[in-house]
């Protein structure tokens, strides 16, 4: 069995589970709150805190892991990124008190920075050539500037509403983060592991790729095919299928970008298409 460390709760837990299930890996748990589960034929899931996953994988307690890039980079361990999973999007940002933000240039030397990411914070300010004092804390960084514990913070932000509520303003980005599938580099060279791990990566990739696409079908007039080709370019053009007992109409099928669907439908309607149908795609392999 290949052991894969997964977030047991928190922001990444549900999306991780959904993605694995969509890739065809069913969780077989003995209890709802069980600490392990079998996952397909080849994998065993270990449910642990997202923060601990880089260490677990680096120490070999798990062969693979899913966790945030922020946590992987903060760990400083030599981990290999097998796949960017796209969810859990956030950024590690520098934020200052609203009242200090006006007219702020570079931070003055000796600025105290409260953060749960001391390593990344140090690396960022070293690279910027700003000597700061890093104040490591274990959570709720946004309160630190108001308590006089620090002058600024480095914290995770997604919508920015938590910062706003706490009277803070984002002034710089330290790191952009999403959830990653990670391993030690040698896992891919281990006999017995390489094939199932590659199959897992391919399955996850095909699900992620399909998310941004839709399958579109429409009945179009046979004499409008040149226009159809212009509207539905695709890689090798749309698939054209005969419609039984309808000499005048054919069915056009194509994979389109999710963001282009509304525009494509309007253009197809303009050339008299009927029976337009849009469906989700489970997997897409180029
Ligand atoms: P957890 O502490 O288990 O909820 O997981 C936190 C992880 O979720 C972080 O390390 C990030 O990788 C990710 N994440 C995504 N959006 C946010 C956010 N707005 N705030 C904190 N963490 C986030």
């Amino acid at each position: 069995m290949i052991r894969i460390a997964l977030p047991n709760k928190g922001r990444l837990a549900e999306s991780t589970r959904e993605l694995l299930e969509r890739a065809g890996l069913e969780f077989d748990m003995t209890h709802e709150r069980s600490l392990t589960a079998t996952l397909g034929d080849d994998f065993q899931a270990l449910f642990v805190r997202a923060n601990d996953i880089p260490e677990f994988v680096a120490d070999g307690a798990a062969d693979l892991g899913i966790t945030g890039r922020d946590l992987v980079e903060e760990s400083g361990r030599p981990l290999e990124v097998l796949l960017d999973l796209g969810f859990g999007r956030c950024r590690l940002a520098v934020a200052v008190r609203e009242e200090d933000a006006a007219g702020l240039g570079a931070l003055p030397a000796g600025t105290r920075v409260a953060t749960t990411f001391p390593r990344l914070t140090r690396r960022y300010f070293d690279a910027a050539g700003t000597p700061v004092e890093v104040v490591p804390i274990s959570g709720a960084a946004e309160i630190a500037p108001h308590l006089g514990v620090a002058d600024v913070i480095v914290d995770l932000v997604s919508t920015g509403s938590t910062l706003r509520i706490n009277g803070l303003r984002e002034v710089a980005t330290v790191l952009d983060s999403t959830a990653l599938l990670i391993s030690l580099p040698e896992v891919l060279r281990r006999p017995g592991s390489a094939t199932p791990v590659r199959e897992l990566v391919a399955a996850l990739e095909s699900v992620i790729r399909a998310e941004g696409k839709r399958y579109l079908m429409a009945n179009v007039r046979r004499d409008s095919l040149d226009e159809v080709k212009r509207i539905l370019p695709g890689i090798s053009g749309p698939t054209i299928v005969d419609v039984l007992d309808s000499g005048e109409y054919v069915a056009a099928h194509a994979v389109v970008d999710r963001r282009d669907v509304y525009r494509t439908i309007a253009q197809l309607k303009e050339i008299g298409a009927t029976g337009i149908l849009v469906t989700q795609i489970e997997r897409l392999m180029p």
Side-chain angles (χ1 to χ4, degrees):
M1 283 282 194
I2 295 162
R3 285 156 306 167
I4 174 164
L6 304 177
N8 57 351
K9 52 186 176 197
R11 291 177 197 259
L12 303 178
E14 200 177 315
S15 305
T16 299
R17 200 183 160 119
E18 264 175 33
L19 175 65
L20 289 166
E21 285 183 343
R22 290 217 312 276
L25 288 157
E26 293 289 332
F27 286 84
D28 185 3
M29 329 226 339
T30 42
H31 295 286
E32 199 33 49
R33 294 172 60 202
S34 160
L35 300 176
T36 62
T38 44
L39 195 58
D41 294 332
D42 300 308
F43 298 93
Q44 182 184 33
L46 314 174
F47 298 105
V48 290
R49 289 189 52 208
N51 288 50
D52 294 330
I53 291 176
E55 295 298 334
F56 275 46
V57 177
D59 291 343
D63 304 295
L64 303 175
I66 291 181
T67 194
R69 181 183 292 277
D70 52 330
L71 300 169
V72 173
E73 298 225 2
E74 178 65 20
S75 79
R77 305 297 295 263
L79 293 159
E80 178 132 330
V81 176
L82 301 182
L83 192 62
D84 188 331
L85 306 174
F87 62 84
R89 190 171 290 282
C90 59
R91 56 197 179 275
L92 191 61
V94 184
V96 304
R97 289 196 309 173
E98 198 66 63
E99 55 267 41
D100 300 337
L104 185 80
L107 294 177
T111 296
R112 290 165 307 154
V113 189
T115 185
T116 54
F117 292 86
R119 179 190 293 267
L120 290 175
T121 299
R122 162 93 32 234
R123 190 173 83 184
Y124 173 79
F125 285 107
D126 282 353
T130 311
V132 297
E133 182 194 335
V134 177
V135 181
I137 52 168
S138 61
E142 56 279 0
I143 196 78
H146 300 294
L147 296 178
V149 177
D151 307 304
V152 309
I153 64 168
V154 166
D155 202 11
L156 291 175
V157 186
S158 48
T159 61
S161 64
T162 309
L163 289 185
R164 266 194 303 281
I165 291 166
N166 287 287
L168 299 169
R169 188 187 303 170
E170 195 176 337
V171 292
T173 301
V174 173
L175 178 88
D176 286 304
S177 181
T178 43
L180 306 176
L181 176 70
I182 52 166
S183 75
L184 277 180
E186 56 261 35
V187 168
L188 274 179
R189 293 193 291 270
R190 224 178 268 156
S193 298
T195 304
V197 170
R198 274 206 203 93
E199 285 169 359
L200 174 68
V201 171
L204 293 173
E205 236 170 352
S206 70
V207 168
I208 294 166
R209 199 180 292 119
E211 260 166 20
K213 303 285 182 186
R214 292 291 181 268
Y215 196 66
L216 190 145
M217 295 166 260
N219 290 336
V220 295
R221 292 168 57 94
R222 203 182 282 278
D223 60 15
S224 69
L225 283 182
D226 280 344
E227 284 157 296
V228 172
K229 234 195 280 178
R230 181 177 51 77
I231 298 168
L232 298 174
I235 299 162
S236 47
T239 302
I240 303 298
V241 191
D242 274 327
V243 177
L244 195 64
D245 295 337
S246 171
E248 198 184 340
Y249 278 87
V250 290
H253 293 198
V255 173
V256 295
D257 228 72
R258 187 171 67 177
R259 287 166 306 185
D260 294 338
V261 165
Y262 77 97
R263 200 178 307 129
T264 308
I265 290 176
Q267 289 173 340
L268 286 171
K269 275 188 167 166
E270 252 171 49
I271 61 157
T274 58
I276 301 172
L277 199 71
V278 181
T279 68
Q280 291 197 339
I281 303 171
E282 250 179 56
R283 295 192 192 200
L284 194 64
M285 277 137 297

